Amino acid sequence: MKENQELPDSRTEAVYAHSYTVEPAEGNAQQELPLPLLAKRILEVATLHAESWEVGYSTLIKDKQMWVLSRLSIEMTRYPLINEHYTLETWIEGYNKHFSSRNFAICGENGTPCGYARTIWVVIDLDTRTSVDIGQFEHIARNVSDRPCPIARQSRVRDVHDDQPHTHRANYIDIDLNRHVNSVKYIEHLLNLFPLDRYDRQRIHRFEISYASEARYGTPLQLLKEEEAPDNFALEVRDDQTIYCKGRIIFRDRQIQ
């Protein structure tokens, strides 16, 4: 199935599916779907599903509102390879006044899940930067799914201690339409804290990120990592006064093919 093609009748279901192909130009050094691109696809499919219910960007922006990703957890047993077709399936697990929980299955070419993701979303008012009552969106209430998601919910990350944090000043390429640092850019910067040879030896089994504040153009960011257990790292992006996000990355050795 070609990229950007949804599955038949996906717009009428509580579970929405959309398929892609890992193009050669998209692959990472291990010839796999990179995790930042997977995160981008998760954002895209969530947007498409919301658009199909008329609660997506094109509708909410008329009232100066927008969906914002609050938390993301991805757990993978493998990553689709270059030229492999893969499908993201998504469904709403639940919601309350302030948050909506949306889950994903990432399926390989044969339909078998490669992994899963959990996300938490809020709707914010762009003028006041405060949350909007999600209960007003009737399509969400009618389409909550009881489909299970087999991965754990996000863990708690305490303050991270790193005597030699990497530094990065938020620049043009980091900034999105809201004029703050794009959520996927945080992921890219955190993954760059680890050398290439680690990714050759190991793959990212689990990645978590929780967004706390909005960094803007020119913000001097400190990127910290601390190994809390073997191959289990707590992550943090901050400046001297503000924590912008926290996360976790767990590596597992690559199996010999």
Side-chain angles (χ1 to χ4, degrees), residues 10-11 15 22 38 54 69 71 73 119 123 145 159 190 202 227 242 244:
S10 61
R11 291 181 181 273
V15 177
V22 184
L38 174 56
E54 297 183 350
L69 180 65
R71 297 180 184 178
S73 302
T119 59
V123 176
S145 173
D159 290 343
L190 289 170
Q202 299 181 309
E227 190 168 17
T242 304
Y244 295 103

PDB file of all heavy atoms in Angstrom, residues 10-11 15 22 38 54 69 71 73 119 123 145 159 190 202 227 242 244:
ATOM      1  N   SER A  10     -11.659   3.153   6.847  1.00  0.00           N
ATOM      2  CA  SER A  10     -11.046   3.467   8.141  1.00  0.00           C
ATOM      3  C   SER A  10     -11.693   4.679   8.800  1.00  0.00           C
ATOM      4  O   SER A  10     -11.674   4.814  10.010  1.00  0.00           O
ATOM      5  CB  SER A  10      -9.547   3.710   7.956  1.00  0.00           C
ATOM      6  OG  SER A  10      -9.312   4.806   7.092  1.00  0.00           O
ATOM      7  N   ARG A  11     -12.303   5.571   8.025  1.00  0.00           N
ATOM      8  CA  ARG A  11     -12.872   6.779   8.597  1.00  0.00           C
ATOM      9  C   ARG A  11     -14.156   6.500   9.383  1.00  0.00           C
ATOM     10  O   ARG A  11     -14.617   7.349  10.133  1.00  0.00           O
ATOM     11  CB  ARG A  11     -13.153   7.803   7.492  1.00  0.00           C
ATOM     12  CG  ARG A  11     -11.892   8.369   6.874  1.00  0.00           C
ATOM     13  CD  ARG A  11     -12.234   9.407   5.809  1.00  0.00           C
ATOM     14  NE  ARG A  11     -11.033   9.937   5.188  1.00  0.00           N
ATOM     15  CZ  ARG A  11     -10.343  10.959   5.665  1.00  0.00           C
ATOM     16  NH1 ARG A  11     -10.732  11.550   6.767  1.00  0.00           N
ATOM     17  NH2 ARG A  11      -9.262  11.390   5.040  1.00  0.00           N
ATOM     18  N   VAL A  15     -11.370   2.387  15.383  1.00  0.00           N
ATOM     19  CA  VAL A  15      -9.950   2.129  15.130  1.00  0.00           C
ATOM     20  C   VAL A  15      -9.626   2.607  13.718  1.00  0.00           C
ATOM     21  O   VAL A  15     -10.226   2.149  12.747  1.00  0.00           O
ATOM     22  CB  VAL A  15      -9.622   0.633  15.283  1.00  0.00           C
ATOM     23  CG1 VAL A  15      -8.156   0.378  14.955  1.00  0.00           C
ATOM     24  CG2 VAL A  15      -9.939   0.158  16.698  1.00  0.00           C
ATOM     25  N   VAL A  22       8.673   2.540   4.256  1.00  0.00           N
ATOM     26  CA  VAL A  22       9.964   3.101   4.658  1.00  0.00           C
ATOM     27  C   VAL A  22      10.765   3.345   3.381  1.00  0.00           C
ATOM     28  O   VAL A  22      11.301   2.401   2.790  1.00  0.00           O
ATOM     29  CB  VAL A  22      10.734   2.171   5.606  1.00  0.00           C
ATOM     30  CG1 VAL A  22      12.017   2.858   6.070  1.00  0.00           C
ATOM     31  CG2 VAL A  22       9.880   1.781   6.800  1.00  0.00           C
ATOM     32  N   LEU A  38       9.016   7.678  13.217  1.00  0.00           N
ATOM     33  CA  LEU A  38       7.867   6.959  13.751  1.00  0.00           C
ATOM     34  C   LEU A  38       7.024   7.892  14.621  1.00  0.00           C
ATOM     35  O   LEU A  38       5.786   7.884  14.537  1.00  0.00           O
ATOM     36  CB  LEU A  38       8.327   5.748  14.563  1.00  0.00           C
ATOM     37  CG  LEU A  38       7.234   4.970  15.300  1.00  0.00           C
ATOM     38  CD1 LEU A  38       6.142   4.492  14.350  1.00  0.00           C
ATOM     39  CD2 LEU A  38       7.835   3.799  16.061  1.00  0.00           C
ATOM     40  N   GLU A  54     -13.919  15.553  12.385  1.00  0.00           N
ATOM     41  CA  GLU A  54     -14.094  17.003  12.354  1.00  0.00           C
ATOM     42  C   GLU A  54     -13.740  17.657  13.692  1.00  0.00           C
ATOM     43  O   GLU A  54     -14.350  18.647  14.114  1.00  0.00           O
ATOM     44  CB  GLU A  54     -15.522  17.369  11.931  1.00  0.00           C
ATOM     45  CG  GLU A  54     -15.851  16.904  10.503  1.00  0.00           C
ATOM     46  CD  GLU A  54     -17.228  17.331  10.047  1.00  0.00           C
ATOM     47  OE1 GLU A  54     -18.014  17.829  10.880  1.00  0.00           O
ATOM     48  OE2 GLU A  54     -17.520  17.166   8.842  1.00  0.00           O
ATOM     49  N   LEU A  69       0.437  17.380  21.968  1.00  0.00           N
ATOM     50  CA  LEU A  69       0.910  16.139  22.568  1.00  0.00           C
ATOM     51  C   LEU A  69       1.521  16.416  23.934  1.00  0.00           C
ATOM     52  O   LEU A  69       2.403  17.278  24.065  1.00  0.00           O
ATOM     53  CB  LEU A  69       1.940  15.482  21.648  1.00  0.00           C
ATOM     54  CG  LEU A  69       2.545  14.161  22.115  1.00  0.00           C
ATOM     55  CD1 LEU A  69       1.478  13.075  22.192  1.00  0.00           C
ATOM     56  CD2 LEU A  69       3.672  13.729  21.177  1.00  0.00           C
ATOM     57  N   ARG A  71       2.254  13.496  26.331  1.00  0.00           N
ATOM     58  CA  ARG A  71       3.122  12.375  26.663  1.00  0.00           C
ATOM     59  C   ARG A  71       3.135  11.381  25.511  1.00  0.00           C
ATOM     60  O   ARG A  71       2.127  11.206  24.819  1.00  0.00           O
ATOM     61  CB  ARG A  71       2.647  11.655  27.931  1.00  0.00           C
ATOM     62  CG  ARG A  71       2.666  12.502  29.190  1.00  0.00           C
ATOM     63  CD  ARG A  71       2.171  11.694  30.383  1.00  0.00           C
ATOM     64  NE  ARG A  71       2.082  12.504  31.587  1.00  0.00           N
ATOM     65  CZ  ARG A  71       1.646  12.065  32.757  1.00  0.00           C
ATOM     66  NH1 ARG A  71       1.257  10.795  32.874  1.00  0.00           N
ATOM     67  NH2 ARG A  71       1.591  12.861  33.795  1.00  0.00           N
ATOM     68  N   SER A  73       4.826   7.357  24.736  1.00  0.00           N
ATOM     69  CA  SER A  73       5.606   6.164  25.075  1.00  0.00           C
ATOM     70  C   SER A  73       5.545   5.211  23.891  1.00  0.00           C
ATOM     71  O   SER A  73       4.454   4.902  23.405  1.00  0.00           O
ATOM     72  CB  SER A  73       5.052   5.474  26.322  1.00  0.00           C
ATOM     73  OG  SER A  73       5.043   6.341  27.432  1.00  0.00           O
ATOM     74  N   THR A 119      -0.192   7.575  23.924  1.00  0.00           N
ATOM     75  CA  THR A 119      -0.060   9.026  23.886  1.00  0.00           C
ATOM     76  C   THR A 119      -1.134   9.659  24.759  1.00  0.00           C
ATOM     77  O   THR A 119      -2.222   9.111  24.935  1.00  0.00           O
ATOM     78  CB  THR A 119      -0.193   9.577  22.454  1.00  0.00           C
ATOM     79  OG1 THR A 119      -1.481   9.220  21.916  1.00  0.00           O
ATOM     80  CG2 THR A 119       0.890   9.039  21.553  1.00  0.00           C
ATOM     81  N   VAL A 123      -6.129  19.728  24.504  1.00  0.00           N
ATOM     82  CA  VAL A 123      -6.484  20.806  23.581  1.00  0.00           C
ATOM     83  C   VAL A 123      -6.245  22.119  24.309  1.00  0.00           C
ATOM     84  O   VAL A 123      -6.705  22.312  25.435  1.00  0.00           O
ATOM     85  CB  VAL A 123      -7.958  20.713  23.124  1.00  0.00           C
ATOM     86  CG1 VAL A 123      -8.318  21.905  22.245  1.00  0.00           C
ATOM     87  CG2 VAL A 123      -8.200  19.411  22.373  1.00  0.00           C
ATOM     88  N   SER A 145     -12.670   3.099  22.463  1.00  0.00           N
ATOM     89  CA  SER A 145     -12.521   1.683  22.141  1.00  0.00           C
ATOM     90  C   SER A 145     -12.023   0.906  23.356  1.00  0.00           C
ATOM     91  O   SER A 145     -11.234   1.426  24.160  1.00  0.00           O
ATOM     92  CB  SER A 145     -11.528   1.513  20.986  1.00  0.00           C
ATOM     93  OG  SER A 145     -11.240   0.147  20.751  1.00  0.00           O
ATOM     94  N   ASP A 159      14.417  13.946  38.896  1.00  0.00           N
ATOM     95  CA  ASP A 159      15.400  14.887  38.381  1.00  0.00           C
ATOM     96  C   ASP A 159      16.635  14.134  37.892  1.00  0.00           C
ATOM     97  O   ASP A 159      17.109  13.190  38.541  1.00  0.00           O
ATOM     98  CB  ASP A 159      15.796  15.893  39.454  1.00  0.00           C
ATOM     99  CG  ASP A 159      14.666  16.863  39.777  1.00  0.00           C
ATOM    100  OD1 ASP A 159      13.732  16.955  38.954  1.00  0.00           O
ATOM    101  OD2 ASP A 159      14.711  17.499  40.841  1.00  0.00           O
ATOM    102  N   LEU A 190      17.608  14.343  21.940  1.00  0.00           N
ATOM    103  CA  LEU A 190      17.898  13.375  23.000  1.00  0.00           C
ATOM    104  C   LEU A 190      18.567  12.117  22.446  1.00  0.00           C
ATOM    105  O   LEU A 190      19.498  11.581  23.062  1.00  0.00           O
ATOM    106  CB  LEU A 190      16.609  13.013  23.738  1.00  0.00           C
ATOM    107  CG  LEU A 190      16.043  14.124  24.634  1.00  0.00           C
ATOM    108  CD1 LEU A 190      14.644  13.760  25.121  1.00  0.00           C
ATOM    109  CD2 LEU A 190      16.968  14.404  25.820  1.00  0.00           C
ATOM    110  N   GLN A 202      22.733  -2.048  19.654  1.00  0.00           N
ATOM    111  CA  GLN A 202      21.462  -2.145  20.362  1.00  0.00           C
ATOM    112  C   GLN A 202      20.386  -1.354  19.622  1.00  0.00           C
ATOM    113  O   GLN A 202      20.687  -0.454  18.852  1.00  0.00           O
ATOM    114  CB  GLN A 202      21.602  -1.599  21.789  1.00  0.00           C
ATOM    115  CG  GLN A 202      22.614  -2.348  22.643  1.00  0.00           C
ATOM    116  CD  GLN A 202      22.691  -1.776  24.047  1.00  0.00           C
ATOM    117  OE1 GLN A 202      22.843  -0.568  24.222  1.00  0.00           O
ATOM    118  NE2 GLN A 202      22.572  -2.640  25.050  1.00  0.00           N
ATOM    119  N   GLU A 227      22.252   7.164  33.577  1.00  0.00           N
ATOM    120  CA  GLU A 227      21.982   5.729  33.500  1.00  0.00           C
ATOM    121  C   GLU A 227      21.527   5.244  34.873  1.00  0.00           C
ATOM    122  O   GLU A 227      22.323   5.138  35.800  1.00  0.00           O
ATOM    123  CB  GLU A 227      23.207   4.965  33.018  1.00  0.00           C
ATOM    124  CG  GLU A 227      22.918   3.518  32.685  1.00  0.00           C
ATOM    125  CD  GLU A 227      24.059   2.837  31.946  1.00  0.00           C
ATOM    126  OE1 GLU A 227      25.194   3.379  31.978  1.00  0.00           O
ATOM    127  OE2 GLU A 227      23.827   1.768  31.342  1.00  0.00           O
ATOM    128  N   THR A 242      13.916  26.325  33.854  1.00  0.00           N
ATOM    129  CA  THR A 242      12.716  25.624  33.401  1.00  0.00           C
ATOM    130  C   THR A 242      13.055  24.222  32.913  1.00  0.00           C
ATOM    131  O   THR A 242      14.037  24.030  32.193  1.00  0.00           O
ATOM    132  CB  THR A 242      12.042  26.401  32.250  1.00  0.00           C
ATOM    133  OG1 THR A 242      11.753  27.730  32.688  1.00  0.00           O
ATOM    134  CG2 THR A 242      10.748  25.718  31.812  1.00  0.00           C
ATOM    135  N   TYR A 244      11.786  21.516  30.346  1.00  0.00           N
ATOM    136  CA  TYR A 244      10.921  21.497  29.167  1.00  0.00           C
ATOM    137  C   TYR A 244      10.348  20.105  28.900  1.00  0.00           C
ATOM    138  O   TYR A 244       9.210  19.987  28.459  1.00  0.00           O
ATOM    139  CB  TYR A 244      11.695  22.004  27.950  1.00  0.00           C
ATOM    140  CG  TYR A 244      12.070  23.455  28.110  1.00  0.00           C
ATOM    141  CD1 TYR A 244      13.375  23.828  28.459  1.00  0.00           C
ATOM    142  CD2 TYR A 244      11.122  24.453  27.959  1.00  0.00           C
ATOM    143  CE1 TYR A 244      13.709  25.166  28.649  1.00  0.00           C
ATOM    144  CE2 TYR A 244      11.449  25.788  28.143  1.00  0.00           C
ATOM    145  CZ  TYR A 244      12.744  26.143  28.487  1.00  0.00           C
ATOM    146  OH  TYR A 244      13.061  27.458  28.676  1.00  0.00           O
TER     147      TYR A 244
END
